[in-house]
Amino acid sequence: MTGSSAASGPEFDGGSLPAPRLQPLTPDSSLTSALGALKAKALLKAFGFQTVNDLLSHYPRDYADREVLRPLNQLTPGANITVIADIVSVREKRMSSRPGTIVEVVISDGGGEFLLTFFGKSSQQWRLDQLRPGLRGSFSGKVTTFQNRSQLANPSYKTFESEEEEARDDPAVRLRHKPLIPIYAATAAETSWNLQTMIDQVLQRVGNLPDPVPQDMRIEHGLLDHTQAIRWIHSPDNPKQWKAAEETLRFTEAWVLQCALLQRHSLARERRTRPRVPTPGGYLERFDATLPFVLTVDQEICAAEIASDMARSGPMNRLLQGEVGSGKTVVALRAMLAVADSGGQTALLAPTEVLAAQHLRSITTLLGPDLAAELMPTLLTGKLPVAQKRKALLRTVSGQSRIVIGTHALLSDTVTFFDLGLIVIDEQHRFGVDQRETLRLKGAQPPHVLVMTATPIPRTIAMTVFGDLDVSTIRMLPSGRQGIRSVVVPMGENGALFGRVWASLAQELALGRQGFVVCPAISPAEIEEVPADLVGIEPSHGEKAGPLFNVDEVLEGMRGVPTLAPYRLEALHGRMTSDEKDRIMRSFAAGEIDVLVATTVIEVGVDVPNASAMVVLDADRFGVSQLHQLRGRVGRGSVPGLCLLVTNSRAGSPARQRIGDVAATLDGFVLAELDLALRREGNVLGDLQSGDGSKLRFLRVAVDGDLIAEVRRAAFHLVTGDPGIRTNEALRNAIARRLNDSERSWLNKG
Ligand code: ADP
Ligand code: MG
């Protein structure tokens, strides 16, 4: 294998490098020591790379086969690309408007031709000498359009002939004569080509790279050793090598991540804090005594898990997941009351003002007048009038208010707690690990943390994204729920069905209930948002030509429907100010509006028990999870819900299948797994970062579930026996480097 022993002498020293014998590089060596100050500076600027490990972790995003050329006719304007092609013709033209020349080079990959242009202030004879017709080369640059033709202007290039000449002197160049050429994500300044050269140079000088995966594990799973994997990923002789390298690096990624998460979990538990247990005859007992219903079995189990966490002297770090209406708030409130019994306060953090206000209302109601008066649940958001805000701050710092509910305003420096014992975070998705940390620091001792999410999270994602948390799940809904009947309405096959849709809605309204009509767009020109959970799913909605249903037109159309004439219809969408939205929501909740014609803005924060009907238009425009979330807005009370999923998609199409699946089950966990399975690529995480804040490279949560689960077990075993990971230095360093990455990406954000 090429260069497996950087320090092995003759081959290396015989090269063009004058230095007598260079130190082997380690992952933590600076790029300055590896490549010199100039290149190091360029790499820092282009990618933020500082160390050899940073550079070697910049894996190729693809490989070009020398023999199979990249299709030139598929290059999109704006892309930074590297192509390998043959030079067909070259000519130099004098510019008419100013001094200088243009060299126009036509390259071909056999299928298509492509123009390269080079501008020069004077004659470019030297370039004509380099770029001779018949030569094959690699060309890197940005695709631009000029006079309707795609071209690369001033690309950087290397012809393979010149390379072969150099190869006689330069061992680094020899690497590039392999049949596979790595293609790196590049910038205009640092082309894939430059990157390859620098990575080759570094690979020549690295010795044995320490392996974070223990040897017995490596053998058991048939993995390459780390050094081999890194060499083969950057410089494979054949596809088999890069696939083997990728498999090893995927395993390594899962292993380091799980060890990092579980170590963080175990270190968090080792911190000392005050246990919070209910007192006999205290708030919690009084609350339980007046609760008008019995907890479901799942609620009981989750409550017990939380109580046992909080009774310990290490802080709780727990995720409580359960669908909207499954009774999470009651469970969380019981934890708050245990904290209040111990004299402490709870901060409840909501993603929006509307949700914060709703939490205040439902918590006040659940507490009943006596407990509410004593515990003084208080709203603290950025929008409060100054006087009210001052009062809220005062109640918070004095400890008078035992439950403080707010948005991220709670994170600001002006908010001080008397004794913060518990942090409850609703809708984790919008709060990062870092924000959790900020809140944590507000307690004199580390507070217990309970994260609530209404989005069912598939097991693999829970392990990856929330891998440092314990998980409690409420699966069943409280009995007495009437459920939701879901029906697919295929418009494409029968336009007359539309009349039936409005008739069904009118029937519900006639019973004194309310409803929603959801459209993907606000007006003919405005789509509300690209549904995040369609990312990665094949673009099957493209099958419907024609415009999308939009709020403006649908509302107008509905106002002309005789059966709907007696009812009050209003619009709700993201173009309205938040005050306007608030006002509309409030009057809907008060029963002053019968039907909201809305975009997905109703997805979060709406709790109107009297709402029983939902019509989703262009249902194929929404992803599985989004449809399920939307549907959760109806059937919240004791009346049964009805959800009509209207679609133009063809019977048998994937989109239609997806909608049918949603209609077929109400189990959000089943749908979440389905959603995951539908995505081919790993961008399921969307905006979610992996648990420690950096992006996953080889690991695909959609398909690597078994691997993640298996590695997590092994990681748990290791971390339990050796929380400091003292027995594996390479792993310890790999974890530290991962954390540095995440810190850096956090810094870059700000
Ligand atoms: P979540 O926070 O998970 O959306 P909530 O705690 O707000 O759910 O509960 C939804 C509704 O169900 C509330 O009105 C709550 O009082 C009621 N509820 C909660 N638990 C039960 C139960 N075990 N039996 C009956 N009703 C319940
Ligand atoms: Mg709730």
mmCIF file of all heavy atoms in Angstrom, residues 13 16 63 70 78 157-158 184 294 305 308 314 354 407 437 443 474 504 508 525 534 603 657 675 703:
data_model
loop_
_atom_site.group_PDB
_atom_site.id
_atom_site.type_symbol
_atom_site.label_atom_id
_atom_site.label_comp_id
_atom_site.label_asym_id
_atom_site.label_seq_id
_atom_site.Cartn_x
_atom_site.Cartn_y
_atom_site.Cartn_z
ATOM 1 N N ASP A 13 12.406 10.035 1.280
ATOM 2 C CA ASP A 13 13.494 11.004 1.288
ATOM 3 C C ASP A 13 14.048 11.256 -0.105
ATOM 4 O O ASP A 13 14.638 12.281 -0.375
ATOM 5 C CB ASP A 13 14.622 10.520 2.198
ATOM 6 C CG ASP A 13 14.218 10.639 3.649
ATOM 7 O OD1 ASP A 13 13.241 11.358 3.917
ATOM 8 O OD2 ASP A 13 14.843 10.011 4.481
ATOM 9 N N SER A 16 11.240 15.184 -3.723
ATOM 10 C CA SER A 16 11.738 16.514 -4.000
ATOM 11 C C SER A 16 11.836 17.367 -2.733
ATOM 12 O O SER A 16 12.283 18.494 -2.786
ATOM 13 C CB SER A 16 10.808 17.201 -4.996
ATOM 14 O OG SER A 16 9.509 17.203 -4.455
ATOM 15 N N TYR A 63 -16.343 9.704 -5.820
ATOM 16 C CA TYR A 63 -15.115 9.314 -6.496
ATOM 17 C C TYR A 63 -15.379 9.328 -7.985
ATOM 18 O O TYR A 63 -16.433 8.917 -8.443
ATOM 19 C CB TYR A 63 -14.674 7.910 -6.067
ATOM 20 C CG TYR A 63 -14.419 7.822 -4.586
ATOM 21 C CD1 TYR A 63 -15.458 7.548 -3.704
ATOM 22 C CD2 TYR A 63 -13.144 8.048 -4.076
ATOM 23 C CE1 TYR A 63 -15.241 7.498 -2.345
ATOM 24 C CE2 TYR A 63 -12.920 7.997 -2.709
ATOM 25 C CZ TYR A 63 -13.969 7.729 -1.842
ATOM 26 O OH TYR A 63 -13.753 7.692 -0.509
ATOM 27 N N ARG A 70 -17.383 12.070 -16.030
ATOM 28 C CA ARG A 70 -18.609 12.679 -15.503
ATOM 29 C C ARG A 70 -19.377 13.351 -16.632
ATOM 30 O O ARG A 70 -18.778 13.968 -17.489
ATOM 31 C CB ARG A 70 -18.257 13.697 -14.428
ATOM 32 C CG ARG A 70 -17.568 13.038 -13.251
ATOM 33 C CD ARG A 70 -17.122 14.083 -12.253
ATOM 34 N NE ARG A 70 -18.248 14.646 -11.551
ATOM 35 C CZ ARG A 70 -18.876 14.031 -10.574
ATOM 36 N NH1 ARG A 70 -18.498 12.840 -10.207
ATOM 37 N NH2 ARG A 70 -19.879 14.604 -9.964
ATOM 38 N N GLY A 78 -23.668 27.634 -11.098
ATOM 39 C CA GLY A 78 -23.492 27.982 -9.697
ATOM 40 C C GLY A 78 -22.729 26.945 -8.913
ATOM 41 O O GLY A 78 -22.186 27.232 -7.858
ATOM 42 N N TYR A 157 -6.744 23.762 -13.178
ATOM 43 C CA TYR A 157 -6.709 22.496 -13.915
ATOM 44 C C TYR A 157 -5.372 21.815 -13.755
ATOM 45 O O TYR A 157 -4.388 22.414 -13.298
ATOM 46 C CB TYR A 157 -6.971 22.732 -15.400
ATOM 47 C CG TYR A 157 -6.007 23.704 -16.045
ATOM 48 C CD1 TYR A 157 -4.776 23.264 -16.536
ATOM 49 C CD2 TYR A 157 -6.325 25.058 -16.142
ATOM 50 C CE1 TYR A 157 -3.879 24.153 -17.103
ATOM 51 C CE2 TYR A 157 -5.439 25.960 -16.707
ATOM 52 C CZ TYR A 157 -4.210 25.509 -17.189
ATOM 53 O OH TYR A 157 -3.338 26.389 -17.735
ATOM 54 N N LYS A 158 -5.373 20.593 -14.089
ATOM 55 C CA LYS A 158 -4.130 19.845 -14.152
ATOM 56 C C LYS A 158 -4.315 18.805 -15.250
ATOM 57 O O LYS A 158 -5.295 18.074 -15.254
ATOM 58 C CB LYS A 158 -3.891 19.150 -12.817
ATOM 59 C CG LYS A 158 -2.477 18.725 -12.613
ATOM 60 C CD LYS A 158 -2.004 19.177 -11.223
ATOM 61 C CE LYS A 158 -0.497 19.096 -11.106
ATOM 62 N NZ LYS A 158 -0.014 19.641 -9.838
ATOM 63 N N TYR A 184 -13.765 16.138 -3.621
ATOM 64 C CA TYR A 184 -14.050 16.732 -2.314
ATOM 65 C C TYR A 184 -15.027 17.888 -2.439
ATOM 66 O O TYR A 184 -15.016 18.595 -3.449
ATOM 67 C CB TYR A 184 -12.753 17.248 -1.686
ATOM 68 C CG TYR A 184 -11.791 16.145 -1.333
ATOM 69 C CD1 TYR A 184 -10.771 15.784 -2.198
ATOM 70 C CD2 TYR A 184 -11.929 15.451 -0.132
ATOM 71 C CE1 TYR A 184 -9.896 14.750 -1.883
ATOM 72 C CE2 TYR A 184 -11.061 14.418 0.189
ATOM 73 C CZ TYR A 184 -10.049 14.072 -0.689
ATOM 74 O OH TYR A 184 -9.200 13.052 -0.376
ATOM 75 N N VAL A 294 -58.039 9.334 36.918
ATOM 76 C CA VAL A 294 -56.884 8.519 37.313
ATOM 77 C C VAL A 294 -55.848 8.549 36.198
ATOM 78 O O VAL A 294 -56.194 8.605 35.019
ATOM 79 C CB VAL A 294 -57.274 7.043 37.585
ATOM 80 C CG1 VAL A 294 -57.903 6.895 38.947
ATOM 81 C CG2 VAL A 294 -58.174 6.515 36.489
ATOM 82 N N GLU A 305 -40.721 7.102 37.150
ATOM 83 C CA GLU A 305 -39.337 7.254 36.672
ATOM 84 C C GLU A 305 -38.797 8.636 37.022
ATOM 85 O O GLU A 305 -37.655 8.798 37.455
ATOM 86 C CB GLU A 305 -39.279 7.031 35.147
ATOM 87 C CG GLU A 305 -39.406 5.557 34.761
ATOM 88 C CD GLU A 305 -39.665 5.319 33.265
ATOM 89 O OE1 GLU A 305 -40.011 6.282 32.539
ATOM 90 O OE2 GLU A 305 -39.530 4.165 32.835
ATOM 91 N N SER A 308 -38.233 9.006 40.795
ATOM 92 C CA SER A 308 -37.050 8.309 41.286
ATOM 93 C C SER A 308 -35.778 9.045 40.836
ATOM 94 O O SER A 308 -34.807 9.133 41.584
ATOM 95 C CB SER A 308 -37.087 6.844 40.831
ATOM 96 O OG SER A 308 -35.979 6.532 40.031
ATOM 97 N N GLY A 314 -28.008 13.159 42.087
ATOM 98 C CA GLY A 314 -27.507 13.619 40.786
ATOM 99 C C GLY A 314 -28.671 14.152 39.980
ATOM 100 O O GLY A 314 -29.790 13.654 40.118
ATOM 101 N N VAL A 354 -47.442 32.043 22.368
ATOM 102 C CA VAL A 354 -48.782 31.448 22.415
ATOM 103 C C VAL A 354 -48.774 30.185 23.268
ATOM 104 O O VAL A 354 -49.639 29.981 24.117
ATOM 105 C CB VAL A 354 -49.273 31.101 20.990
ATOM 106 C CG1 VAL A 354 -50.628 30.417 21.038
ATOM 107 C CG2 VAL A 354 -49.329 32.352 20.135
ATOM 108 N N THR A 407 -40.884 31.974 27.394
ATOM 109 C CA THR A 407 -40.167 31.604 26.174
ATOM 110 C C THR A 407 -38.678 31.709 26.483
ATOM 111 O O THR A 407 -38.281 31.768 27.636
ATOM 112 C CB THR A 407 -40.509 32.578 25.042
ATOM 113 O OG1 THR A 407 -40.269 33.898 25.529
ATOM 114 C CG2 THR A 407 -41.954 32.442 24.633
ATOM 115 N N GLU A 437 -27.884 24.136 28.474
ATOM 116 C CA GLU A 437 -26.757 24.432 29.359
ATOM 117 C C GLU A 437 -26.932 25.803 30.015
ATOM 118 O O GLU A 437 -26.732 25.953 31.217
ATOM 119 C CB GLU A 437 -25.442 24.446 28.567
ATOM 120 C CG GLU A 437 -24.625 23.179 28.571
ATOM 121 C CD GLU A 437 -24.700 22.322 29.825
ATOM 122 O OE1 GLU A 437 -24.224 22.786 30.893
ATOM 123 O OE2 GLU A 437 -25.220 21.206 29.753
ATOM 124 N N GLY A 443 -29.324 27.645 38.090
ATOM 125 C CA GLY A 443 -29.547 27.086 39.417
ATOM 126 C C GLY A 443 -28.289 27.205 40.258
ATOM 127 O O GLY A 443 -27.174 27.169 39.730
ATOM 128 N N ILE A 474 -45.043 7.999 26.933
ATOM 129 C CA ILE A 474 -46.474 7.748 27.132
ATOM 130 C C ILE A 474 -47.035 7.347 25.784
ATOM 131 O O ILE A 474 -47.057 8.155 24.858
ATOM 132 C CB ILE A 474 -47.220 9.006 27.631
ATOM 133 C CG1 ILE A 474 -46.525 9.596 28.860
ATOM 134 C CG2 ILE A 474 -48.670 8.671 27.942
ATOM 135 C CD1 ILE A 474 -47.223 10.834 29.420
ATOM 136 N N SER A 504 -69.753 17.298 4.772
ATOM 137 C CA SER A 504 -69.307 16.657 6.015
ATOM 138 C C SER A 504 -68.911 17.698 7.053
ATOM 139 O O SER A 504 -69.208 17.576 8.241
ATOM 140 C CB SER A 504 -68.087 15.761 5.766
ATOM 141 O OG SER A 504 -68.359 14.834 4.774
ATOM 142 N N GLU A 508 -70.658 18.585 10.917
ATOM 143 C CA GLU A 508 -69.982 18.748 12.212
ATOM 144 C C GLU A 508 -70.336 20.087 12.837
ATOM 145 O O GLU A 508 -70.631 20.189 14.027
ATOM 146 C CB GLU A 508 -68.460 18.665 12.037
ATOM 147 C CG GLU A 508 -67.935 17.286 11.681
ATOM 148 C CD GLU A 508 -68.021 16.309 12.854
ATOM 149 O OE1 GLU A 508 -67.637 16.717 13.979
ATOM 150 O OE2 GLU A 508 -68.485 15.174 12.658
ATOM 151 N N ALA A 525 -49.813 32.885 -5.013
ATOM 152 C CA ALA A 525 -48.374 33.045 -5.234
ATOM 153 C C ALA A 525 -47.514 32.610 -4.049
ATOM 154 O O ALA A 525 -46.313 32.468 -4.172
ATOM 155 C CB ALA A 525 -48.072 34.503 -5.572
ATOM 156 N N LEU A 534 -40.864 16.455 4.302
ATOM 157 C CA LEU A 534 -40.868 15.846 2.972
ATOM 158 C C LEU A 534 -39.452 15.744 2.413
ATOM 159 O O LEU A 534 -39.208 15.103 1.412
ATOM 160 C CB LEU A 534 -41.711 16.665 2.000
ATOM 161 C CG LEU A 534 -43.197 16.348 2.001
ATOM 162 C CD1 LEU A 534 -43.913 17.203 0.966
ATOM 163 C CD2 LEU A 534 -43.440 14.880 1.706
ATOM 164 N N GLU A 603 -50.234 24.238 13.427
ATOM 165 C CA GLU A 603 -49.646 22.979 13.854
ATOM 166 C C GLU A 603 -49.272 22.990 15.337
ATOM 167 O O GLU A 603 -49.445 22.024 16.039
ATOM 168 C CB GLU A 603 -48.399 22.690 13.023
ATOM 169 C CG GLU A 603 -48.112 21.238 12.917
ATOM 170 C CD GLU A 603 -46.838 20.999 12.134
ATOM 171 O OE1 GLU A 603 -46.493 21.817 11.274
ATOM 172 O OE2 GLU A 603 -46.204 19.990 12.404
ATOM 173 N N GLN A 657 -50.082 6.414 -1.204
ATOM 174 C CA GLN A 657 -49.788 5.376 -0.237
ATOM 175 C C GLN A 657 -49.513 5.990 1.143
ATOM 176 O O GLN A 657 -50.009 5.539 2.170
ATOM 177 C CB GLN A 657 -48.557 4.594 -0.723
ATOM 178 C CG GLN A 657 -48.044 3.538 0.248
ATOM 179 C CD GLN A 657 -48.986 2.355 0.302
ATOM 180 O OE1 GLN A 657 -49.558 1.964 -0.704
ATOM 181 N NE2 GLN A 657 -49.166 1.809 1.495
ATOM 182 N N ASP A 675 -42.186 7.205 8.673
ATOM 183 C CA ASP A 675 -41.605 8.418 8.137
ATOM 184 C C ASP A 675 -40.107 8.216 7.926
ATOM 185 O O ASP A 675 -39.539 8.557 6.899
ATOM 186 C CB ASP A 675 -41.840 9.545 9.154
ATOM 187 C CG ASP A 675 -41.757 10.903 8.513
ATOM 188 O OD1 ASP A 675 -41.876 10.987 7.279
ATOM 189 O OD2 ASP A 675 -41.565 11.881 9.250
ATOM 190 N N VAL A 703 -31.172 4.031 8.205
ATOM 191 C CA VAL A 703 -30.851 2.644 7.874
ATOM 192 C C VAL A 703 -29.898 1.981 8.851
ATOM 193 O O VAL A 703 -29.747 0.765 8.847
ATOM 194 C CB VAL A 703 -30.263 2.537 6.442
ATOM 195 C CG1 VAL A 703 -31.316 2.872 5.411
ATOM 196 C CG2 VAL A 703 -29.054 3.438 6.283
#
